[in-house]
Amino acid sequence: MKLTIRDIAEMAGVSVTTVSQILNNKGSRFSDKTRKKVLNIVNEHHYKPDYFASNVINRHSKTIGMIVPDVTDFFFSKLIEGVESYLNPLGYVIMLCNSRHKQENEIKYLRELAHRSVDGILLATPNVLPEAYALDSGFYKNMPIILIDRGLNRRDSGRLIVKEYEGAYQAVSLFIKEGHTKIGMLKETTGYYQLEERFNGYRHALKDHGISFNGKFVEHGELTVQGGYDATKRLLEHKDITAIFCGNDAMAIGCYQAIHEMGKKIPDDISVIGFDGLKLSEYMIPQLTTVRQPSFDIGFYAARFLIDTIEFPQRKVPNKVFETKLIIRESVKALTNG
């Protein structure tokens, strides 16, 4: 049978509040004799505090709510890993919610998490928050929150921004340096990744190198393996494309499959670059050239910012900018003249 604080209090002949304060190191006003009596019972029965119960008294549940658009997405699994690596050593656990990109699910989870007395919330959202849940609304008065939203919701602090534009610009510039001018892009349909920065990097790299932008060379799809496969099939109806910049590495995997099925080879016939820098991309054949973004670090810093907000509410949370890096491997080939 699991021991409760109430059981310990009865066995020690003291109040529930006394037990709770001693367990939370707030029992300096109690005699050593009382403290020893309580702690001996705790040790003897291997009592582990129930955070939800102790929350009533010490106002900390040591639980963090986290809402993500898609738990199966490679980017988010790495991000969650980063969050856990910061929180776990501090004794926090995550209550993870999967919003499936829908705002009504996010709102439902925000309310649920608040009722469950989490200490704070990490919200990865593709949406602009409605007024009632905007960062300056009353909802968050006693609820610390950090947004992982690509800077979508306006705020002065706690912004986690990735230099996606620079990464995409470098990727497309590499294609151009290797002699490619007919360069396609696989772009998202909707969801968390409004890849405008990646798309802008693609367009501006073309423009700066004197290549006209052609809307027919941009295909939309889900940011998944299947999405990349379907979009590549449509894109390659334009027979003259020699290079494809994929919105993320998952799309690049689908892109590889579609190119293979058409009897073409990478990079001999078509060069491919991805975006994310997933570990998986090293095992693709040929190894994928990709833009690495530090998804683990984004999660790590989001968690750090949240804990700082919980523990030092009067302190202003900083902003953090993450660099991207073009990782050159084997999926890009130089075009020779003639």
Side-chain angles (χ1 to χ4, degrees):
M1 188 186 90
K2 194 178 173 208
L3 212 62
T4 66
I5 286 188
R6 191 174 297 284
D7 297 329
I8 296 167
E10 279 175 17
M11 290 158 90
V14 296
S15 72
V16 171
T17 307
T18 300
V19 174
S20 177
Q21 291 192 340
I22 288 169
L23 290 181
N24 288 294
N25 286 326
K26 297 204 174 102
S28 52
R29 64 193 176 88
F30 304 113
S31 69
D32 281 349
K33 189 179 164 196
T34 304
R35 289 164 65 84
K36 275 202 183 106
K37 195 194 277 188
V38 167
L39 294 174
N40 283 342
I41 293 168
V42 165
N43 289 329
E44 196 185 321
H45 293 272
H46 307 294
Y47 171 76
K48 279 268 192 292
D50 179 334
Y51 284 122
F52 285 104
S54 63
N55 184 32
V56 175
I57 294 157
N58 71 11
R59 304 193 64 79
H60 274 306
S61 63
K62 284 284 194 174
T63 308
I64 296 298
M66 185 170 184
I67 305 169
V68 297
D70 182 359
V71 292
T72 65
D73 184 294
F74 296 125
F75 172 79
F76 287 112
S77 54
K78 204 74 192 152
L79 187 106
I80 292 164
E81 208 181 300
V83 169
E84 284 196 321
S85 75
Y86 190 82
L87 292 181
N88 287 354
L90 300 178
Y92 283 86
V93 292
I94 300 175
M95 197 177 282
L96 188 62
C97 307
N98 189 15
S99 71
R100 296 185 166 80
H101 297 271
K102 294 191 173 68
Q103 188 159 64
E104 61 266 32
N105 290 343
E106 289 172 358
I107 303 302
K108 183 185 82 177
Y109 285 134
L110 282 170
R111 287 205 293 258
E112 281 285 330
L113 290 169
H115 287 315
R116 284 163 200 266
S117 306
V118 296
D119 290 339
I121 296 173
L122 292 168
L123 171 58
T125 177
N127 303 307
V128 174
L129 294 171
E131 216 165 283
Y133 292 88
L135 286 184
D136 52 3
S137 72
F139 179 81
Y140 304 111
K141 221 184 192 88
N142 302 308
M143 177 58 68
I145 184 162
I146 293 291
L147 294 181
I148 305 166
D149 69 345
R150 318 181 98 76
L152 186 65
N153 290 275
R154 293 187 71 81
R155 57 198 181 279
D156 298 329
S157 59
R159 294 169 82 233
L160 301 149
I161 301 296
V162 178
K163 288 188 172 176
E164 297 184 34
Y165 174 90
E166 289 81 350
Y169 189 96
Q170 283 183 350
V172 177
S173 297
L174 175 67
F175 279 147
I176 296 165
K177 182 172 142 273
E178 298 295 355
H180 297 269
T181 55
K182 302 284 192 278
I183 303 165
M185 179 174 179
L186 306 185
K187 197 172 174 289
E188 85 291 351
T189 39
T190 55
Y192 177 82
Y193 304 95
Q194 290 295 315
L195 302 186
E196 284 314 304
E197 288 302 292
R198 295 181 202 181
F199 182 52
N200 288 339
Y202 163 79
R203 279 187 323 159
H204 293 164
L206 294 176
K207 184 172 171 236
D208 290 352
H209 292 86
I211 299 169
S212 305
F213 169 74
N214 182 346
K216 292 196 178 83
F217 285 1
V218 178
E219 267 302 338
H220 294 72
E222 295 293 321
L223 282 158
T224 58
V225 175
Q226 183 70 46
Y229 173 83
D230 294 339
T232 303
K233 288 269 188 185
R234 293 192 298 275
L235 189 63
L236 290 181
E237 286 168 15
H238 305 286
K239 304 274 189 283
D240 46 355
I241 284 179
T242 62
I244 301 176
F245 174 47
C246 301
N248 69 356
D249 287 349
M251 277 188 132
I253 296 169
C255 177
Y256 267 44
Q257 179 63 22
I259 290 169
H260 172 72
E261 281 182 16
M262 295 172 85
K264 292 184 181 292
K265 278 197 162 51
I266 301 167
D268 300 357
D269 302 310
I270 296 173
S271 293
V272 179
I273 298 181
F275 199 111
D276 270 348
L278 299 174
K279 187 80 184 142
L280 197 65
S281 62
E282 292 175 38
Y283 299 98
M284 294 164 69
I285 301 172
Q287 287 192 338
L288 178 69
T289 294
T290 182
V291 178
R292 180 181 291 149
Q293 65 167 333
S295 35
F296 179 93
D297 293 352
I298 297 166
F300 186 88
Y301 275 93
R304 183 175 145 187
F305 285 178
L306 185 61
I307 299 303
D308 285 353
T309 307
I310 291 164
E311 295 187 353
F312 312 106
Q314 68 289 353
R315 242 192 242 171
K316 191 177 176 191
V317 182
N319 295 315
K320 176 84 179 155
V321 176
F322 298 92
E323 299 289 332
T324 49
K325 185 174 188 224
L326 180 62
I327 310 293
I328 298 174
R329 299 208 188 101
E330 299 160 3
S331 60
V332 177
K333 176 186 178 232
L335 284 192
T336 48
N337 295 323

